[in-house]
Amino acid sequence: MATWLAETLDDAQLARLQIAASPYRRAQQTAAIVAEQLAKPVQELALITPDDPVEPVIDWLQAHAMASSWLLVSHMPLVGALTGRLVEGDSRSSLPMPTAAVAGLEAEVWAAGCAQLRVFRHPAELT
């Protein structure tokens, strides 16, 4: 997936991209692989661990995702619930996220129901 990202992102997208990862070991390891491929540093973001609520993450996105694009390396069930909330707006929505899947969202305002799912890829699609 790191190679796919490197091949997919254009120069302008790559220049705006920042990477944040959960403090959990597996997310840090995954983020390091992606960061090496993209030549980007990784920032630790404590509020994206598996059982964290989505609302603080949405607030964080609203504060940080206007100036930059972010790749959040996190875990289920948080990533599924976050994606579902941002796209569908319903707290019961969740997007199934296979291991190493990438969901690309776009929004003018980072709030429930305001994002569009622009891309969704997982490793099985690339083989």
Side-chain angles (χ1 to χ4, degrees):
M1 293 308 296
T3 301
W4 173 80
L5 277 170
E7 292 170 352
T8 302
L9 297 173
D10 65 31
D11 290 342
Q13 291 169 320
L14 189 57
R16 286 179 36 96
L17 183 70
Q18 295 192 56
I19 301 170
S22 157
Y24 288 17
R25 179 181 299 167
R26 186 66 194 118
Q28 289 288 319
Q29 291 169 334
T30 300
I33 292 167
V34 175
E36 181 178 355
Q37 186 76 31
L38 301 178
K40 292 283 184 174
V42 176
Q43 299 174 45
E44 186 174 295
L45 186 57
L47 56 89
I48 58 172
T49 63
D51 296 315
D52 283 326
V54 299
E55 292 80 7
V57 184
I58 293 172
D59 291 344
W60 184 91
L61 285 168
Q62 184 61 30
H64 294 88
M66 294 304 170
S68 299
S69 297
W70 286 88
L71 174 63
L72 302 182
V73 182
S74 187
H75 322 263
M76 285 297 283
L78 175 68
V79 293
L82 177 63
T83 303
R85 180 78 57 88
L86 288 169
V87 174
E88 299 295 328
D90 188 336
S91 62
R92 297 166 294 178
S93 295
S94 184
L95 179 68
M97 298 282 286
T99 300
V102 174
L105 305 178
E106 187 176 290
E108 289 184 26
V109 175
W110 291 99
C114 293
Q116 294 181 332
L117 181 63
R118 294 292 188 197
V119 64
F120 183 79
R121 295 287 183 272
H122 57 86
E125 293 178 323
L126 303 180
T127 57

